[in-house]
Amino acid sequence: MASTMLHLPPLDLAGGPLSPRPRWPTSTSRISSGLHPKPFPAGCDRSDAAQVDPSDADGDGGDAATCTGKFLSSYGRRRLTLTLSLPFMFPQYHIAKAVDIREEALVIQNGVSSIMTKAKAAGMLRLAFHDAGTFDSDDNSGGMNGSIVYELERPENVGLNKSIKVLTKAKMEIEKTHPVSWADLIAVAGAQAVSFCGGPTIPLQLGRIDVRTPDPEGRLPEETLDASGLKDCFFKKGFSTQELVALSGAHTIGGKGFGSPVIFDNAYYKILLEKPWASSAGMSSMIGLPSDRAIADDDECLRWIKLYAVDQEKFFGDFKNAYIKLVNSGASWKIV
């Protein structure tokens, strides 16, 4: 499939002018909507999309390299894929917006980095799970839409008001120069929480639109569900058993007893195999949630627990993919 290669100038992290300016094509394009955007054309995949290290906690953007755009024809439309030091993918934006989009992504990344600490990471990741976790694939309702800001009084969301309060400060700073939706901000915060604690870098797509009402109640998986109930719940959201087990690995941070509360690794799975809660003595019996214990006793889940316990890179890769799918679930996207 024919393509035109466009070379964008280096990103000036000091805030200076971006020059020389390239000559941009005049074609326009739109953002795809829904949970499953159309695939990239042959020869171009999501690894070509924008990348940055979200663990860059000092917010200086690291050693951002030259941004290279690929203007590709696909399905009768034009698509833009950017390669630069940002963990975001910008599908189908008008190519003349490329520099502005890159700047916006840096502002969001730096704004979240400015408030992120390891102590806050688990709360940020939980916030992302609870906003996206209302998705129902039967009617494509709920999902990553910022509705969590209207749902903080629900019992399952106890304590998340603290994370929203912290993110509000970042949102106010970001919006001095660029608008940002709660849905995008929460998705980015969850991804940065993971990498900030040593987990994988997670590339994200930006442009989610917020709703103005709460999502229906009773859609988050209950902590007391058995393995069969958990698998049914996740299946309704479009997730497999493997994805359920991979996403459960988020419990490796946050003080549930699975290793260090501020290190994102595969300790969760190693401890699941040990089943310390089987001991009737001491604090060991308090480790984990009932749902954690349930998947450790399920043969189908156990297959993946054993794999992730010995292969941290496999866990990181599967968690990254499942997280991207989670925070795209039910999202509506801006059209530019």
Side-chain angles (χ1 to χ4, degrees):
M1 193 170 291
S3 64
T4 301
M5 182 68 72
L6 297 174
H7 296 284
L8 303 187
L11 177 63
D12 183 353
L13 294 175
L18 293 168
S19 61
R21 292 187 63 84
R23 295 180 61 184
W24 306 103
T26 57
S27 299
T28 59
S29 57
R30 289 177 177 269
I31 295 177
S32 58
S33 60
L35 177 58
H36 302 292
K38 293 180 180 178
F40 284 78
C44 180
D45 57 33
R46 292 195 181 275
S47 65
D48 291 316
Q51 304 286 327
V52 77
D53 183 0
S55 64
D56 178 21
D58 60 8
D60 65 1
D63 54 350
T66 298
C67 172
T68 302
K70 293 181 181 177
F71 196 64
L72 304 166
S73 72
S74 174
Y75 300 96
R77 296 185 178 182
R78 295 287 185 180
R79 289 174 182 255
L80 171 67
T81 304
L82 298 177
T83 303
L84 61 146
S85 293
L86 287 173
F88 307 111
M89 296 180 284
F90 310 101
Q92 295 183 284
Y93 275 98
H94 190 298
I95 198 163
K97 296 287 187 181
V99 174
D100 290 340
I101 294 168
R102 180 177 56 174
E103 179 184 351
E104 178 182 351
L106 267 179
V107 170
I108 295 172
Q109 184 248 333
N110 290 341
V112 174
S113 292
S114 70
I115 55 86
M116 184 66 67
T117 66
K118 288 186 176 181
K120 296 171 183 172
M124 296 299 175
L125 187 54
R126 179 173 171 244
L127 186 65
F129 272 60
H130 282 225
D131 192 30
T134 57
F135 179 66
D136 190 322
S137 61
D138 288 343
D139 57 6
N140 202 40
S141 64
M144 200 72 198
N145 55 22
S147 67
I148 190 72
V149 299
Y150 306 108
E151 301 160 6
L152 296 176
E153 298 303 318
R154 295 179 181 178
E156 63 267 29
N157 295 330
V158 169
L160 290 180
N161 59 317
K162 296 178 181 178
S163 297
I164 288 292
K165 184 177 180 179
V166 171
L167 276 185
T168 298
K169 297 178 182 179
K171 195 173 193 291
M172 292 174 64
E173 287 300 312
I174 292 167
E175 291 188 332
K176 289 179 180 179
T177 54
H178 295 279
V180 60
S181 67
W182 275 112
D184 271 351
L185 190 63
I186 292 169
V188 171
Q192 283 205 15
V194 171
S195 60
F196 201 83
C197 292
T201 296
I202 303 177
L204 293 179
Q205 177 175 308
L206 293 180
R208 297 169 186 78
I209 299 172
D210 286 341
V211 296
R212 298 185 179 182
T213 56
D215 283 339
E217 297 188 51
R219 291 190 172 184
L220 293 180
E222 298 177 9
E223 296 177 356
T224 56
L225 287 176
D226 59 16
S228 177
L230 284 169
K231 288 189 283 189
D232 287 345
C233 182
F234 273 72
F235 181 78
K236 286 192 65 176
K237 302 179 190 301
F239 291 90
S240 66
T241 298
Q242 178 184 6
E243 290 167 328
L244 157 64
V245 177
L247 289 172
S248 296
H251 289 174
T252 194
I253 60 173
K256 294 180 175 64
F258 297 105
S260 170
V262 295
I263 297 178
F264 193 97
D265 57 16
N266 65 340
Y268 172 77
Y269 302 103
K270 295 178 180 179
I271 294 174
L272 282 184
L273 293 178
E274 296 171 358
K275 298 185 178 181
W277 52 84
S279 171
S280 59
M283 297 298 293
S284 296
S285 61
M286 304 296 291
I287 291 176
L289 301 172
S291 56
D292 296 316
R293 304 171 189 183
I295 65 172
D297 288 329
D298 180 80
D299 289 340
E300 187 179 7
C301 293
L302 192 59
R303 170 192 171 191
W304 298 108
I305 293 171
K306 289 179 177 178
L307 176 60
Y308 296 150
V310 297
D311 192 340
Q312 180 166 281
E313 290 306 309
K314 173 65 174 172
F315 162 51
F316 278 11
D318 288 351
F319 181 89
K320 177 189 71 174
N321 293 334
Y323 182 86
I324 292 170
K325 182 176 176 178
L326 178 70
V327 297
N328 287 349
S329 297
S332 296
W333 305 93
K334 287 190 293 187
I335 297 175
V336 177

